[in-house]
Amino acid sequence: MPKNKMNPSPFVSVIIPVCNEAAYISAVISSIFSQEQSEGEYEIIVADGMSDDGTRDILAELQVRHPRLKVIDNPMRRTPAGLNAAIATAKGSVIIRMDAHTIYAQDYLKQCVTIHQETGADNVGGPWVARGKGYISKAIAAAFQSPFAVGGARGHRLEYTGPVDTVYLGCWPIETFRKFGLFDEELVRNQDDEHNLRIIRGGGRVWQSPRIKSWYTPRSSLRALFRQYYQYGYWKVRVIQKHRLPASIRHLVPGLFVAGLMACVLVSPFWALARWVGMAAVGCYGGCVLLASLITAGKSEWRLAPILPAVFAAYHFGYGIGFLHGVLDFIVLKRGPRRGATVLTRDSQPRKESHQ
């Protein structure tokens, strides 16, 4: 791949959007400052969404020990707004996004810069790898790496190197944002997917390397997983509407499946064939879920097998139902996001957005 002719010792700005992360923020900041560093200076910019759980007090204490840590306000309390605010204040020629719920290899930052220099890509990152804590979280993590849960997305393939349609977190030269724009602040979810789609359709490249290693901590309950993927499905419709074409056909499958089941249920009292079609679809899906659960349990832990069917269903039906709600709001009723839409903060209670 062509090498980037940028400064071999770039100034790196690490950006982290947070809100109410008192249980995690100290560990992630400490882990960043203990990273192996390539030559060049760096800074950490935390965009805080007006936390009220003690996160800001912890950040203030950390700033005393780490002068390179900067904390800015994110009054909109949305991830893309926090990212954009951090980018606007960043001094670096390279921007690296990090997350409070992710564990990083010691050479994470160094590898991000190195891969970027080697490829010259507009965004680089590692595979999206989940590592759970507790029984349900481990099951969610195991299913997360299954092609059945994520539609065969290359970003979940641990050893894949090459171009992808989206990448976990990201490392960008500042020129990427000047050329392709910042994150869409309307998008509560999927803002990273949409930005990568903009890069690719604008002639840029998004690149994945397994040398960039991190481990994402998934949700710890089926309810939280369902809510998370409901919002992914809901906001994916807005991304498709904005670009007039989905990035991949896999983004449509859960919504079409749920819509098909709903149609069968509605029509079956008047048409016997619809009832049989619906039953066949449910039976086929159930068989696929059972097979995927056994394969996934065999690759991870057999004790996860009993809960995995419910985990796969939460992924698929959460996304599919959210997608159909998005179709109703954005396409059928031709309106913007519903007022008072919830923004989920991990496994905590939903927060209400009042500015949509």
Side-chain angles (χ1 to χ4, degrees):
M1 299 304 298
K3 291 198 174 186
N4 196 335
K5 297 181 180 179
M6 64 176 288
N7 181 351
S9 303
F11 191 112
V12 174
S13 294
V14 177
I15 60 174
I16 312 173
V18 303
C19 182
N20 291 339
E21 299 289 3
Y24 298 91
I25 192 63
S26 182
V28 72
I29 297 299
S30 297
S31 73
I32 296 173
F33 279 112
S34 66
Q35 285 269 310
E36 294 177 18
Q37 297 294 327
S38 45
E39 295 181 6
E41 298 184 62
Y42 72 101
E43 64 179 352
I44 300 174
I45 305 172
V46 175
D48 179 56
M50 319 312 289
S51 296
D52 55 12
D53 69 338
T55 297
R56 201 57 176 258
D57 295 333
I58 295 171
L59 287 169
E61 294 175 3
L62 290 168
Q63 282 183 288
V64 174
R65 301 200 303 269
H66 303 293
R68 285 177 292 184
L69 173 61
K70 181 190 299 184
V71 180
I72 63 173
D73 289 335
N74 174 18
M76 287 186 67
R77 307 185 78 176
R78 290 185 180 183
T79 296
L83 292 171
N84 289 345
I87 293 167
T89 63
K91 299 178 182 178
S93 59
V94 173
I95 309 295
I96 298 177
R97 177 184 173 181
M98 300 182 81
D99 178 80
H101 292 269
T102 300
I103 299 171
Y104 303 92
Q106 281 295 102
D107 63 348
Y108 182 86
L109 294 179
K110 185 176 182 179
Q111 289 292 348
C112 281
V113 174
T114 300
I115 300 301
H116 167 55
Q117 292 176 329
E118 290 176 355
T119 64
D122 300 280
N123 185 15
V124 302
W128 198 351
V129 184
R131 179 182 288 177
K133 297 179 180 179
Y135 181 72
I136 294 180
S137 183
K138 286 182 178 181
I140 292 172
F144 189 74
Q145 307 305 148
S146 167
F148 185 64
V150 298
R154 287 180 294 185
H156 292 248
R157 288 163 50 185
L158 306 189
E159 302 303 322
Y160 175 75
T161 299
V164 286
D165 55 12
T166 191
V167 73
Y168 184 51
L169 300 178
C171 167
W172 310 262
I174 192 64
E175 287 79 12
T176 293
F177 298 104
R178 293 169 181 161
K179 182 176 181 180
F180 300 103
L182 296 171
F183 294 94
D184 187 338
E185 296 187 5
E186 177 193 11
L187 300 176
V188 173
R189 297 286 192 187
N190 302 108
Q191 67 277 157
D192 48 353
D193 290 351
E194 189 276 333
H195 192 258
N196 285 316
L197 180 60
R198 226 184 307 151
I199 291 173
I200 293 169
R201 292 190 175 167
R205 286 188 306 146
V206 179
W207 192 265
Q208 176 174 299
S209 171
R211 287 156 53 190
I212 301 173
K213 294 181 172 64
S214 66
W215 299 270
Y216 159 76
T217 303
R219 299 316 196 253
S220 60
S221 73
L222 293 177
R223 180 183 180 187
L225 176 67
F226 182 92
R227 290 199 308 247
Q228 178 189 16
Y229 274 78
Y230 177 94
Q231 287 221 337
Y232 282 155
Y234 182 85
W235 288 100
K236 181 61 70 176
V237 176
R238 182 67 186 96
V239 174
I240 294 172
Q241 184 185 45
K242 179 177 179 179
H243 292 274
R244 301 182 183 279
L245 193 69
S248 171
I249 192 66
R250 71 174 184 272
H251 298 148
L252 306 178
V253 173
L256 291 174
F257 178 69
V258 174
L261 289 182
M262 292 174 60
C264 287
V265 170
L266 292 174
V267 175
S268 60
F270 315 103
W271 190 24
L273 179 60
R275 181 166 60 254
W276 289 108
V277 170
M279 291 173 62
V282 170
C284 182
Y285 176 75
C288 291
V289 166
L290 180 59
L291 179 60
S293 297
L294 292 174
I295 293 173
T296 301
K299 291 180 177 179
S300 52
E301 301 179 57
W302 280 108
R303 70 187 186 95
L304 302 177
I307 193 67
L308 280 169
V311 171
F312 281 117
Y315 274 112
H316 296 149
F317 283 90
Y319 189 102
I321 294 171
F323 190 93
L324 294 181
H325 194 173
V327 169
L328 177 65
D329 277 357
F330 294 115
I331 297 176
V332 177
L333 300 179
K334 299 184 184 302
R335 66 186 183 192
R338 64 199 187 284
R339 295 188 64 83
T342 57
V343 180
L344 303 182
T345 56
R346 303 297 295 181
D347 300 318
S348 61
Q349 290 299 313
R351 223 180 33 235
K352 293 292 183 180
E353 285 286 349
S354 60
H355 44 265
Q356 292 186 348

